[in-house]
Amino acid sequence: AGTGRLAYRGSSPSALTGATAQLPTSLDGLAIDLKVTALASASASVLSNDGIDVASPNLWATASSSVGETLEGVTFAGCGYAEEGEDCLEMLTTHLLEDFNGNRIVIDATEDARVAEHYPRWLTLGAHIVSSNKLATGGPLATYRAAKNARSDANTQWLYECSGPGSGLPVISTLQDMQQTGDRIRRVEGVFSGTVNYVLESVRGGAPFSEAVAAAVAAGYAEPDPRDDLSCLDTQRKMLTLCREIGGMPDLEP
C-alpha cells in the first residue's frame, strides 16, 4: 500500500489532474494499492486522508464541497506570495504528519526552493520523496546535506534524477550503479542544456534570438524562468547534482 502527494508548479490544476489520472494505469500488475491524499498546484491544494479521485474531471471545481479542503489562490513562495506559499507548504506538512496511511510518498515536480527546504522535515516524518526539483539536488549545499542526513537518520528514501547530460536518460542511477560495483568516475561529459543548444542551433539557422527563446519556451524545453537556462544557472545546478553524486561537495557561488 502507498499514499502519495503531488506538487506541481507552473501548470494548471487541469493539467495536473490529467497527469495524475494516468497513475492507476501505470501501476497495473504491480500489486500496489495507491491512494493519492494531496494535490498541490501553483494556485490550489486539495487534501484528503480518504483519498482523492484523480480521474474526476471536476476535481478542482468541486473540491471544496466534496474532497477534503481546498486552498484557492495560494501559491508556493517564489511566485510573489511568500506568506501564502509558506502557509500552503506548512499545511501540506501538517497533513503529512497527521496522515494515518502508511508508506507515504511525496512526489515533487516543482522547481521551487521553498519546497526543497521542506525535504528534511518530510523525510524525518517518515515520508519518502521522489523528486525532479533541481533546487534540492543542485541548490544550496546546506539544504542538500540536511535532506541527505534526514534520509539516513529516518531510514527513508529520496529518489531523484538529473536530465543533463543524458537528455532524460537515467544518469544518476547509472552513476550510483557504477560506483556501487567498484567503478571510479573520472569524467562526465555531454550537452548539459538542451534549451541553450536548441536556441543556438535556431540562431545558427537564421532565427532571431528572441524568437528562438520564445520557441523553446513554447515547446516546453525551457525552465519556468528561461533566464535560468540562458544564464547557465540551470547547467550549474545539473553539474552540482552530478558532482555531489560522485563525492564532491561544491556550492553555488553567491
Side-chain angles (χ1 to χ4, degrees), residues 120-137:
R121 293 178 62 187
W122 294 341
L123 291 164
T124 299
L125 291 174
H128 308 292
I129 296 177
V130 177
S131 170
S132 62
N133 189 347
K134 290 189 291 291
L135 295 179
T137 57

Side-chain angles (χ1 to χ4, degrees), residues 39-253:
L39 291 172
S41 74
S43 59
S45 297
V46 182
L47 314 174
S48 174
N49 284 333
D50 295 329
I52 298 169
D53 180 9
V54 296
S56 171
N58 300 315
L59 170 62
W60 297 96
T62 61
S64 59
S65 60
S66 63
V67 183
E69 181 174 3
T70 301
L71 308 177
E72 295 293 347
V74 294
T75 62
F76 295 130
C79 301
Y81 300 91
E83 292 183 0
E84 289 87 343
E86 185 174 4
D87 290 344
C88 178
L89 290 172
E90 287 300 319
M91 186 163 291
L92 286 171
T93 302
T94 299
H95 178 71
L96 182 66
L97 175 64
E98 297 175 349
D99 190 354
F100 55 80
N101 294 286
N103 297 322
R104 295 159 296 171
I105 303 172
V106 176
I107 303 176
D108 175 17
T110 74
E111 281 290 314
D112 196 293
R114 296 300 290 270
V115 177
E117 290 169 1
H118 279 69
Y119 281 18
R121 293 178 62 187
W122 294 341
L123 291 164
T124 299
L125 291 174
H128 308 292
I129 296 177
V130 177
S131 170
S132 62
N133 189 347
K134 290 189 291 291
L135 295 179
T137 57
L141 182 58
T143 301
Y144 176 83
R145 280 179 165 163
K148 284 288 188 178
N149 291 337
R151 182 200 65 171
S152 178
D153 293 343
N155 195 29
T156 46
Q157 296 187 60
W158 173 22
L159 304 180
Y160 51 88
E161 261 298 343
C162 179
S163 59
S167 298
L169 297 176
V171 179
I172 296 296
S173 58
T174 300
L175 291 177
Q176 291 173 343
D177 289 343
M178 292 175 68
Q179 293 181 100
Q180 289 170 1
T181 55
D183 290 322
R184 181 179 179 184
I185 309 299
R186 297 183 180 274
R187 182 174 62 196
V188 178
E189 61 183 37
V191 177
F192 278 81
S193 178
T195 304
V196 172
N197 188 61
Y198 175 87
V199 170
L200 292 179
E201 286 296 321
S202 297
V203 171
R204 180 183 297 177
F209 179 76
S210 59
E211 291 184 8
V213 173
V217 172
Y221 299 147
E223 293 298 300
D225 184 344
R227 292 173 297 182
D228 288 352
D229 293 298
L230 300 178
S231 67
C232 290
L233 178 59
D234 183 60
T235 297
Q236 287 180 291
R237 290 169 178 158
K238 293 175 182 177
M239 295 178 70
L240 278 178
T241 298
L242 295 176
C243 188
R244 290 169 179 174
E245 200 61 39
I246 60 178
M249 287 296 158
D251 208 347
L252 280 174
E253 293 292 333

